[in-house]
Amino acid sequence: MLLGGHCSGGIKKALDNAHSFGMDAVQLFVQSPRTWRFPEHDPADLEAFRTRREELGIGAVAVHALYLLNLASPKKDFYEKSVATLRLTVDAACAIGAEAVVFHVGSHLGSGFEAGLERVVPALAQALERCDGTTWLCMENTAGTGGTIGRSIEELAALYDALDQHKRLGICLDSCHLFASGYDITDRAELDRVLSEVDDSIGLDRLRCLHVNDSKTPLGSNRDRHDNIGDGLMGEKLGVFLGHPKLQGLPALLEVPGTDEYGPDAEQMRRLREHYAKATKRGSARKPGKTARRPAARGTRG
């Protein structure tokens, strides 16, 4: 795995923040997470990002789309802002050479999954048209709160099929969300079953990145509450997820509160490396600051 996490700082500072924490992979926002306004990025900053990434040896980059997005919203204005923002996010991700744009599909707000699907599909089709040979659009599974779409592998597969298994459409699996939505990934047999379901309905080649988060709430709670590595209810058993053979080679990204509630930091990376070393029975973890080898991209269907 390429171990890393979500870092603040955007296009100008996230890479250096990630490097200072000893990360091999990074996830970032390309706009403020608190507002719809999308910045007009200076082309020089976009090019500088690509150069700096090579200098630091960051093996994988993911952009997380704005949390405010709701591609299933029945409210016209909200829907249109969501669609436009996702398009701009994909454009920026392509410009910096990111491998993935990770996003939450949204909520049908009580109108039902099928009604939501009718809105989501054309929205994603527009974004997928803008993906290039490097950047994929990756649906993230949800914890299952309210009318959110993507709470199960079955729902992700329905979206994948509705978009004709587009060659740049992938998924991102979040350990906390899986646990909260009722998948006990601390049990090896259950995780085997989950990954078999993913392979049968979507294809493991479409799994492009992972979010590695412990959970503050119990199995099946449908509550999205991330906890620091080792502090949550999965604890040491999060190693079942980290160590699974079918998940190796992927970017594994922290989205945890961190030591001071400012997000992933050096201490959380130390814990993640210790968990990973134990889960994979490696004698020692990579020392922070070393250059990570970028993994070969997985093949694609169709």
Side-chain angles (χ1 to χ4, degrees):
M1 286 181 173
L2 288 177
L3 303 178
H6 189 101
C7 284
S8 62
I11 286 172
K12 293 182 179 180
K13 297 180 180 178
L15 286 173
D16 285 294
N17 289 336
H19 183 68
S20 72
F21 295 145
M23 295 178 176
D24 301 327
V26 65
Q27 179 177 275
L28 67 148
F29 290 123
V30 290
Q31 71 181 109
S32 167
R34 300 178 182 86
T35 177
W36 285 102
R37 188 185 70 82
F38 201 91
E40 219 174 291
H41 292 294
D42 187 332
D45 291 333
L46 301 172
E47 183 58 33
F49 183 99
R50 299 173 78 112
T51 301
R52 187 60 174 153
R53 174 183 176 178
E54 290 301 319
E55 290 172 353
L56 296 177
I58 300 294
V61 172
V63 168
H64 201 299
L66 189 68
Y67 289 132
L68 295 172
L69 293 185
N70 186 356
L71 303 173
S73 177
K75 300 175 182 178
K76 184 179 179 182
D77 289 350
F78 204 97
Y79 175 79
E80 289 177 350
K81 283 194 295 187
S82 298
V83 175
T85 300
L86 184 60
R87 289 201 306 262
L88 291 170
T89 303
V90 170
D91 289 347
C94 290
I96 63 172
E99 282 78 19
V101 173
V102 179
F103 68 99
H104 300 166
V105 176
S107 170
H108 55 69
L109 301 178
S111 62
F113 178 78
E114 292 301 326
L117 195 67
E118 291 181 6
R119 291 184 283 271
V120 172
V121 169
L124 292 187
Q126 290 183 47
L128 285 163
E129 286 177 1
R130 305 171 92 93
C131 289
D132 61 15
T134 297
T135 306
W136 285 49
L137 201 56
C138 293
M139 304 179 287
E140 182 178 348
N141 65 302
T142 71
T145 306
T148 52
I149 291 177
R151 65 180 63 203
S152 66
I153 306 304
E154 182 181 10
E155 288 191 358
L156 293 176
L159 282 164
Y160 174 67
D161 288 337
L163 284 149
D164 299 322
Q165 304 178 9
H166 192 283
K167 64 183 180 180
R168 293 295 172 197
L169 181 60
I171 61 173
C172 169
L173 292 181
D174 184 302
S175 56
C176 173
H177 298 174
L178 284 168
F179 191 73
S181 59
Y183 296 102
D184 188 1
I185 59 167
T186 67
D187 178 82
R188 175 58 187 266
E190 171 64 2
L191 182 55
D192 285 342
R193 189 199 66 75
V194 169
L195 295 179
S196 290
E197 183 181 354
V198 170
D199 200 23
D200 291 343
S201 60
I202 301 173
L204 282 174
D205 54 333
R206 298 304 179 112
L207 178 55
R208 309 302 291 185
C209 62
L210 307 170
H211 286 166
V212 183
N213 303 305
D214 210 328
S215 178
K216 291 180 182 288
T217 59
L219 177 69
S221 65
N222 297 129
R223 296 178 64 199
D224 186 0
R225 297 287 306 282
H226 299 185
D227 208 347
N228 288 325
I229 300 299
D231 291 347
L233 296 176
M234 284 187 271
E236 289 289 329
K237 290 186 177 180
L238 185 58
V240 175
F241 185 74
L242 283 169
H244 198 286
K246 291 184 178 179
L247 299 181
Q248 303 313 299
L250 291 170
L253 303 162
L254 293 170
E255 294 179 318
V256 296
T259 306
D260 299 314
E261 301 293 322
Y262 288 112
D265 51 31
E267 169 60 18
Q268 289 305 306
M269 281 304 302
R270 183 190 66 77
R271 292 192 191 185
L272 178 60
R273 290 194 184 281
E274 286 184 355
H275 271 63
Y276 182 67
K278 187 180 295 185
T280 55
K281 295 183 173 57
R282 296 174 188 269
S284 62
R286 185 187 70 84
K287 299 291 185 183
K290 299 286 186 180
T291 299
R293 180 177 63 84
R294 191 177 304 182
R298 290 185 173 184
T300 60
R301 294 181 179 181

